[in-house]
Amino acid sequence: MKTDRPFSSILVTGGAGFIGSNFVSTALPRFQGRVLVYDKLTYAGRVENLIPLRKNPRFKFIKGDIVDGARLLKVFKKFQVGAVVHLAAETHVDRSIDGSLPFLVTNDIGTYRMLESARIHFNTLRPKAQRQFRFLHVSTDEVYGSLGQKGSFKETSPLAPNSPYAASKAAADHWVRAAFQTFGLPTLITHCSNNYGPYQFPEKLIPLTILNAVEGKPLPVYGDGLHVRDWIYVQDHCEGLWRVLQRGKPGETYNMGGQRAGEKKGKTTNIRMVRHICRILAELLPPAINPSLRRRGLGRYQDLIRFVSDRPGHDRRYAIDNTKIREELGWRPGHTLESGLSKTVEWYLSHLDWCRAVQEKNYGRERLGLKV
C-alpha cells in the first residue's frame, strides 16, 4: 500500500471558492503541513466560505490574483510550497457567453503564471523535495465537448470544447501538459463532472433551483430540459483530488464522475434533476407551510418550473468513465445522487443567511448567457 506524501505545505488557488473551500476542509485533517489559500475573492470566492477553517493554526489565507506572477513567486519562496492544487478559475458557462475575456485572462494567462512560478520554484528545490512536489490542475469534463447518445468520456477522448469557458479550460490543460513534457514539472490533470454541494454560488442549477423554489420564484429549465449531466457530490470530488495529489502519476490525467461502479444512476437530465429537488423540498419544507407558495396559491414546487430559451452552444450530453482512477488509485464516489442531493438541499435550507450574504449587491439570480 502506498503511503501519503508528507507535503510541508499545499497551495490551493481558488481556495475560497466552492470546490476550493471544500477541498481545504478535506485536506487539513489529512496531513500535518500548512494549507495556504490563495484567492482573488471574486463574486464566487468568498471569505464567508472560509469562516469554519480560520481557527485551524495550519490554515493561512493570502489574497492575490494568479495573474500576478511576481506575487506568486514570493508566496512559493516564503512558504516553501510542496504541492499545488490549482482550482482558481472563472467557471460559469453563461458568464463566459456574456463576456469571454475574464475567462481567457484567469483560466489561461493565470494558469500560465502559476506554471511558470511553480517551475521556477521547483528548480530551486533539493532532489528529495522535487520528487515529492506535485502540481494538480483541476479541469472539467466540458473540455471534451458533447457526447452522442452512447458512450462516456475517457482520458483519451479528444478535447472538443464548445463554450468559451470550456475552450479556456482546454487551453489551460494543454499548458499543463506542456509544462510536464517540456520542463519536467510533475503535473497532474483531473477532469470532473458537474459538482454540487455546500458553498456553491447560487448561479448554478442546483442552488438556484433550491433558493428560487423556497422563495416561490420560477424554476428556469433551459430548452427542453433533456440535456444529460453526470453529477458528483463535492466531497467525493475532493476525496478524489486528494487521492490524485498523493498517488497520481505525474503527466497523467484522471477523470472523476459521480456514477458508482455497478450503478445506473449518477447521470440524469436537467428536468429530472429539478423535479428531484422539488420532491426533496416537499419533504423538508412542505408547500403547505411555505408562505411564498401559499401566496401564489400553489400546492407543488413543480408548478414553478418554466422552460426558457436554451443556452447558445449548449452541450447535449456528458458522461464520465471512472475506470482509470478506480483501478489505478482505488477511488470511487461515496454518495449516490439521492444521498448527495438530499444533503445539499438540507444544507441550503439551513444556510439561508449565507445565501443572502454572498448574493447581496452581487447577483439577483437573473438569467445570464443570452448574448449571441
Side-chain angles (χ1 to χ4, degrees):
M1 176 65 74
K2 295 180 180 179
T3 58
D4 287 348
R5 296 181 178 279
F7 296 124
S8 59
S9 62
I10 298 175
L11 176 64
V12 183
T13 68
F18 164 45
I19 300 174
S21 59
N22 278 282
F23 176 78
V24 174
S25 295
T26 299
L28 273 170
R30 303 298 177 88
F31 78 123
Q32 297 304 310
R34 173 177 277 183
V35 176
L36 312 167
V37 166
Y38 187 89
D39 200 293
K40 184 180 177 180
L41 295 181
T42 64
Y43 75 95
R46 309 289 302 192
V47 293
E48 292 89 345
N49 300 357
L50 303 175
I51 291 173
L53 306 169
R54 287 189 158 182
K55 292 182 179 180
N56 192 309
R58 294 184 292 108
F59 168 84
K60 183 173 180 59
F61 173 73
I62 306 165
K63 185 176 181 180
D65 191 336
I66 58 171
V67 176
D68 186 348
R71 181 157 173 74
L72 285 171
L73 280 172
K74 291 179 181 178
V75 170
F76 272 96
K77 181 178 180 180
K78 179 177 180 179
F79 296 101
Q80 285 300 294
V81 172
V84 174
V85 178
H86 180 40
L87 282 150
E90 295 286 344
T91 66
H92 193 37
V93 175
D94 287 357
R95 290 181 187 265
S96 79
I97 296 169
D98 287 340
S100 303
L101 184 58
F103 291 76
L104 173 67
V105 172
T106 297
N107 299 358
D108 295 326
I109 297 177
T111 296
Y112 164 77
R113 297 289 191 197
M114 282 297 305
L115 289 166
E116 275 295 282
S117 300
R119 182 180 67 84
I120 293 169
H121 170 68
F122 177 78
N123 288 338
T124 69
L125 297 177
R126 295 179 181 274
K128 182 178 180 180
Q130 287 187 337
R131 289 192 296 272
Q132 295 291 335
F133 188 88
R134 294 292 183 270
F135 186 108
L136 171 54
H137 172 64
V138 183
S139 189
T140 170
D141 59 356
E142 296 193 39
V143 300
Y144 295 124
S146 186
L147 281 166
Q149 293 298 312
K150 297 181 180 180
S152 299
F153 294 131
K154 301 179 185 294
E155 287 80 2
T156 54
S157 297
L159 304 192
N162 291 319
S163 71
Y165 161 65
S168 69
K169 292 296 287 186
D173 287 1
H174 288 312
W175 279 106
V176 174
R177 173 182 167 84
F180 172 76
Q181 295 289 346
T182 303
F183 303 113
L185 187 69
T187 61
L188 302 149
I189 298 174
T190 58
H191 293 136
C192 67
S193 57
N194 286 37
N195 278 237
Y196 66 98
Y199 296 108
Q200 187 171 36
F201 192 77
E203 65 190 356
K204 299 298 177 73
L205 175 64
I206 290 176
L208 184 144
T209 298
I210 296 168
L211 297 180
N212 276 15
V214 169
E215 297 174 12
K217 295 180 178 179
L219 308 181
V221 178
Y222 291 178
D224 59 8
L226 298 180
H227 302 82
V228 176
R229 294 294 180 264
D230 188 327
W231 295 92
I232 185 170
Y233 188 59
V234 67
Q235 181 181 338
D236 291 337
H237 181 206
C238 292
E239 294 282 351
L241 293 177
W242 182 258
R243 185 65 61 92
V244 172
L245 184 67
Q246 293 289 344
R247 303 178 187 181
K249 181 180 177 182
E252 292 293 316
T253 296
Y254 300 90
N255 286 353
M256 281 184 276
Q259 187 168 345
R260 304 199 301 182
E263 292 183 342
K264 295 183 179 179
K265 294 186 177 180
K267 299 182 289 294
T268 191
T269 62
N270 288 344
I271 184 60
R272 286 179 180 172
M273 173 62 79
V274 172
R275 288 172 177 160
H276 195 168
I277 293 170
C278 289
R279 286 193 292 270
I280 296 173
L281 277 171
E283 297 175 3
L284 299 176
L285 182 64
I289 65 171
N290 183 338
S292 297
L293 263 65
R294 290 171 61 188
R295 282 194 295 268
R296 299 192 58 180
L298 300 178
R300 305 187 313 155
Y301 287 107
Q302 286 92 328
D303 294 335
L304 296 168
I305 293 174
R306 300 288 185 273
F307 290 92
V308 300
S309 58
D310 204 357
R311 168 194 290 160
H314 199 178
D315 289 334
R316 192 64 174 174
R317 177 174 173 267
Y318 298 151
I320 284 282
D321 185 336
N322 279 337
T323 303
K324 180 177 178 179
I325 192 171
R326 286 203 319 267
E327 293 184 352
E328 295 187 10
L329 304 184
W331 173 87
R332 55 187 47 79
H335 293 79
T336 63
L337 184 58
E338 289 80 4
S339 66
L341 196 57
S342 293
K343 283 186 177 182
T344 300
V345 176
E346 290 174 358
W347 188 90
Y348 279 93
L349 290 180
S350 62
H351 289 79
L352 294 178
D353 288 344
W354 176 88
C355 297
R356 283 188 287 270
V358 300
Q359 294 175 91
E360 187 177 9
K361 299 178 182 179
N362 189 27
Y363 176 59
R365 301 204 295 277
E366 65 273 11
R367 175 72 192 271
L368 304 172
L370 289 172
K371 184 179 291 185
V372 292

